Amino acid sequence: MKKIITLSMFSLGLQSCLTNDANPEINIIAPSAFVINGESTTISVIDLATNETRSTISLENSTIDNHNGAKNLDIQFPHHIYLSPDGSKLSIGVPGVDLSEGHLGNHESTGHILIIDAKNGNILSKTELPKPNHNAIFSPDGKEIWTTLMEHHGKTLIYDASTMALKNTILVGEEPAEVTFSANNKYAFVANGGSNTVSVLDILEKKVIKTIAVGEEPVGAWLGVDGRMYVDNELGQSISIIDVEKLEVIETVKLEFKPGYVAYNQLLNEMWVSNAGQSYVHYFVRENNTWKKKGSFQTGLDAHAIAFTKDWKIAYVTNQGNLSVSVIDVISHQKIKDVQVGQKPNGIVLKH
């Protein structure tokens, strides 16, 4: 039976008082997928062994007890989710606006960072930001949380993961969206949607070391385990591929559709790109040292984020317009089933 959990006690920083006595406990057993449902303000937990939603964590009616009495918190449109390196915690960016309608110009709301226990779904901390943020991600060593402020004069903020104290503020480009890390754990990549660039930050030195021009309105530089970062340019309808060693764009792939997400599959050496607003994922293969479209497969409406299992054989695709996650057989490029989740699912992370 599917469980719905309401998290009724919040913390603002780790020092606030947390109790969950009124809430039923859940035990989240790996392998599981955590899916952020932006409009429902929930997290769907999918059992990867059965590909069924086993529990739903509600964030909508959360409150905080900060020793001055409980008060309601306004949590709206959680967006992307990441797992800590040790697998014990989840980090969530909460921009406070519906980014499914576009990423630029959303300056009026405040953003938040939520840290959640990956074993029982309890919220460990909540940090308010002055502007919307696209995501919040653990540093490769798990000691920091990195996020961006989506404003004209963009910033990357770095927090201590234990105390959520602000450690660093780094100026980047205009309207920064996703911040991600390279596989060699040397660099952070910030996609600046308003300036059509990607800022490369040295993780240890906490500074911008290079700014790379990409296509129009980049949203994220997504990790490829092949030594590349794959940048989805929404308005440019293209993918800019960055070589991590050279820190330069080595190839631009024209799509003729708006990308929702791009992911590299190591098993088949394929690049997968979801078609935002449509019900397809397109896959590309290497021919004559360039990426060529090989085929497509159907998912659900407004296909978006893509996550692969650790053996690369199964993929999960969130469908923002279909209240579902499509389970895909990678080798055959066929849909196995759709798993029902909440409204406007976007971010997804797998815990094995």
Side-chain angles (χ1 to χ4, degrees):
M1 181 181 295
K2 185 167 87 171
K3 300 179 182 178
I4 299 180
I5 312 300
T6 299
L7 301 176
S8 66
M9 300 305 295
F10 240 136
S11 71
L12 183 59
L14 297 180
Q15 294 79 15
S16 298
C17 179
L18 265 174
T19 59
N20 279 309
D21 296 339
N23 300 306
E25 286 284 329
I26 59 174
N27 183 24
I28 302 171
I29 301 174
S32 296
F34 297 86
V35 180
I36 291 289
N37 305 304
E39 191 168 295
S40 298
T41 321
T42 59
I43 303 171
S44 295
V45 184
I46 298 174
D47 184 336
L48 299 189
T50 62
N51 286 323
E52 295 181 357
T53 298
R54 289 302 189 186
S55 56
T56 301
I57 303 169
S58 175
L59 308 174
E60 190 172 20
N61 299 315
S62 301
T63 60
I64 181 173
D65 182 0
N66 61 0
H67 309 296
N68 294 316
K71 70 174 184 177
N72 292 329
L73 293 173
D74 186 18
I75 300 299
Q76 295 182 344
F77 295 106
H79 194 56
H80 282 178
I81 185 168
Y82 285 88
L83 189 68
S84 63
D86 65 2
S88 66
K89 299 176 183 177
L90 298 160
S91 58
I92 300 172
V94 186
V97 292
D98 186 0
L99 296 181
S100 68
E101 303 300 325
H103 295 82
L104 298 183
N106 297 306
H107 301 310
E108 302 305 319
S109 67
T110 57
H112 293 88
I113 299 171
L114 300 183
I115 305 299
I116 293 181
D117 191 311
K119 294 182 179 180
N120 56 31
N122 290 336
I123 294 179
L124 302 176
S125 71
K126 171 182 176 289
T127 303
E128 184 172 344
L129 307 173
K131 295 292 182 180
N133 60 330
H134 200 264
N135 74 314
I137 184 171
F138 285 90
S139 59
D141 62 7
K143 296 180 179 179
E144 297 170 342
I145 299 290
W146 290 51
T147 192
T148 62
L149 296 184
M150 299 177 69
E151 56 183 341
H152 182 71
H153 299 291
K155 300 178 181 69
T156 296
L157 306 182
I158 304 172
Y159 290 85
D160 184 291
S162 297
T163 65
M164 291 309 295
L166 181 63
K167 294 176 59 178
N168 302 87
T169 299
I170 305 170
L171 297 179
V172 288
E174 298 177 12
E175 302 272 2
E178 199 85 0
V179 54
T180 53
F181 297 109
S182 58
N184 62 11
N185 297 334
K186 292 182 179 180
Y187 307 119
F189 291 79
V190 178
N192 305 308
S195 54
N196 302 329
T197 61
V198 170
S199 297
V200 183
L201 286 66
D202 186 287
I203 294 176
L204 294 179
E205 296 185 6
K206 308 292 191 292
K207 68 179 184 180
V208 176
I209 60 172
K210 191 168 185 179
T211 300
I212 303 173
V214 291
E216 189 174 2
E217 197 183 323
V219 174
W222 307 107
L223 171 66
V225 293
D226 58 343
R228 309 285 190 262
M229 302 295 287
Y230 293 81
V231 183
D232 57 333
N233 307 304
E234 284 197 347
L235 289 182
Q237 297 191 357
S238 65
I239 305 299
S240 299
I241 301 175
I242 297 175
D243 185 294
V244 173
E245 293 299 323
K246 297 178 180 179
L247 293 181
E248 61 184 39
V249 174
I250 58 172
E251 186 176 355
T252 300
V253 183
K254 299 296 184 181
L255 300 175
E256 299 182 349
F257 63 86
K258 179 182 176 181
Y261 192 90
V262 55
Y264 173 80
N265 179 271
Q266 181 177 350
L267 179 66
L268 300 180
N269 186 31
E270 292 179 342
M271 180 177 69
W272 288 25
V273 185
S274 57
N275 191 336
Q278 301 297 320
S279 304
Y280 295 94
V281 169
H282 308 277
Y283 58 96
F284 297 71
V285 298
R286 300 293 287 174
E287 291 182 1
N288 299 321
N289 207 32
T290 59
W291 287 106
K292 300 292 185 181
K293 183 179 173 181
K294 182 69 173 181
S296 306
F297 55 85
Q298 192 164 16
T299 56
L301 183 61
D302 200 4
H304 237 77
I306 303 168
F308 295 105
T309 54
K310 62 181 179 180
D311 62 5
W312 304 96
K313 293 182 179 180
I314 301 293
Y316 295 82
V317 181
T318 60
N319 305 307
Q320 287 193 126
N322 253 135
L323 289 78
S324 68
V325 172
S326 295
V327 185
I328 308 297
D329 182 287
V330 169
I331 295 176
S332 67
H333 300 103
Q334 296 293 317
K335 179 162 61 175
I336 298 171
K337 66 180 294 187
D338 286 325
V339 182
Q340 185 176 0
V341 290
Q343 293 176 303
K344 291 193 176 180
N346 192 308
I348 182 172
V349 69
L350 307 188
K351 181 181 178 181
H352 295 100

